[in-house]
Amino acid sequence: TEATVTASASPAGGEKENAYAEGLTYDFWKPGSSGTHWLRASFAAAYDGVSRSLVAQDTDIHGITISRDGRHLYAVGDLHNKVYAYTLATPFDIATAVYDGAAKDLSVVAQDNTPLDLAVSADGRRIFVAGNTSGKVFQYNLAVAYDLGTAAYAGAAYDLTVGAAAGLTGVAVSSDGLHVYAAVAGDNKIASYTLAVANDLSSATYDGAGSDINLAAIEANVHGVTITDDGRRLLIIGFATDTVFS
């Protein structure tokens, strides 16, 4: 589809261009020497009218994730510092989500009292929780895949330290379990780590500052991150702008 591209105001440190096509609005940022190209898309989408309240479990839900098969949803709440599990009768249809029950809740308060995000491994054997107070990602091993009731803290040796002062707000793991991405609000960036052993945080190595994705030019409070199954797209939530960046 052809699109008309017009130049407009530039954010600090980069050039901005807008493109409009078939009800979609795209903002492209090309920051200075970094070579990184940003795409912000505003969709003329219609709300499905489908929702699932989680307030009976926690009134301060901060993050959710869903299994690759769409049958298991997990949410982390800051009020009770727990992870909650839900089973979906119809894959990816949250209207069919049923709470697995309090017996399946995973308390993370012993590790962090401000959990803000979580991720689940592709095989359902690992849950990763981003702790804002500690600035660490914690690993929990599930004895039975996707069964949160069988989850156990892997231990301090598996903690991935991002830094409390940096303001850890989000975590994502690639489908192959070899890459972890952390949303760092303090620096408005995404930091990446490579795992020598799939889904094993004790084998994580920081990829270095040169691999960080800096969003400072377009977002003042990066607050979450996820990655597509093919590993080709990171989706990043901007709290200040209420925008999803790709």
Side-chain angles (χ1 to χ4, degrees):
T1 303
E2 293 183 358
T4 301
V5 178
T6 57
S8 63
S10 302
E15 174 189 355
K16 176 184 176 184
E17 294 178 340
N18 295 333
Y20 306 91
E22 294 191 351
L24 305 181
T25 301
Y26 300 94
D27 292 340
F28 299 90
W29 277 273
K30 301 185 292 186
S33 59
S34 71
T36 301
H37 286 64
W38 284 105
L39 166 65
R40 181 173 70 179
S42 301
F43 298 90
Y47 171 47
D48 287 344
V50 177
S51 64
R52 172 62 162 88
S53 174
L54 309 182
V55 70
Q57 284 73 61
D58 201 298
T59 57
D60 198 9
I61 295 293
H62 271 276
I64 64 169
T65 190
I66 194 166
S67 61
R68 260 66 180 186
D69 64 3
R71 292 194 174 274
H72 303 276
L73 185 145
Y74 305 94
V76 63
D78 187 26
L79 180 63
H80 301 302
N81 302 302
K82 290 182 178 181
V83 177
Y84 308 96
Y86 305 81
T87 299
L88 283 66
T90 303
F92 301 105
D93 184 351
I94 61 173
T96 68
V98 176
Y99 176 44
D100 289 350
K104 301 285 188 178
D105 293 352
L106 171 63
S107 175
V108 300
V109 70
Q111 286 75 58
D112 198 285
N113 61 7
T114 315
L116 293 187
D117 199 17
L118 75 169
V120 61
S121 62
D123 63 3
R125 294 278 188 172
R126 303 285 187 273
I127 291 279
F128 305 98
V129 175
N132 182 260
T133 299
S134 64
K136 294 181 179 181
V137 178
F138 303 98
Q139 176 176 321
Y140 302 84
N141 300 332
L142 282 66
V144 178
Y146 302 112
D147 186 345
L148 194 63
T150 68
Y153 174 47
Y158 292 84
D159 295 351
L160 174 59
T161 300
V162 176
L168 176 63
T169 55
V171 63
V173 61
S174 61
S175 59
D176 61 8
L178 296 176
H179 303 277
V180 168
Y181 304 89
V184 185
D187 297 324
N188 291 309
K189 71 177 185 180
I190 304 297
S192 64
Y193 301 80
T194 298
L195 281 61
V197 180
N199 299 310
D200 182 339
L201 289 187
S202 69
S203 70
T205 302
Y206 177 44
D207 292 337
S211 296
D212 290 349
I213 302 174
N214 194 324
L215 290 93
I218 56 174
E219 172 57 47
N221 190 355
V222 58
H223 213 72
V225 61
T226 192
I227 187 168
T228 56
D229 282 351
D230 63 5
R232 301 301 296 267
R233 295 286 185 274
L234 281 174
L235 303 177
I236 303 163
I237 297 174
F239 184 78
T241 59
D242 294 322
T243 299
V244 176
F245 301 94
S246 171

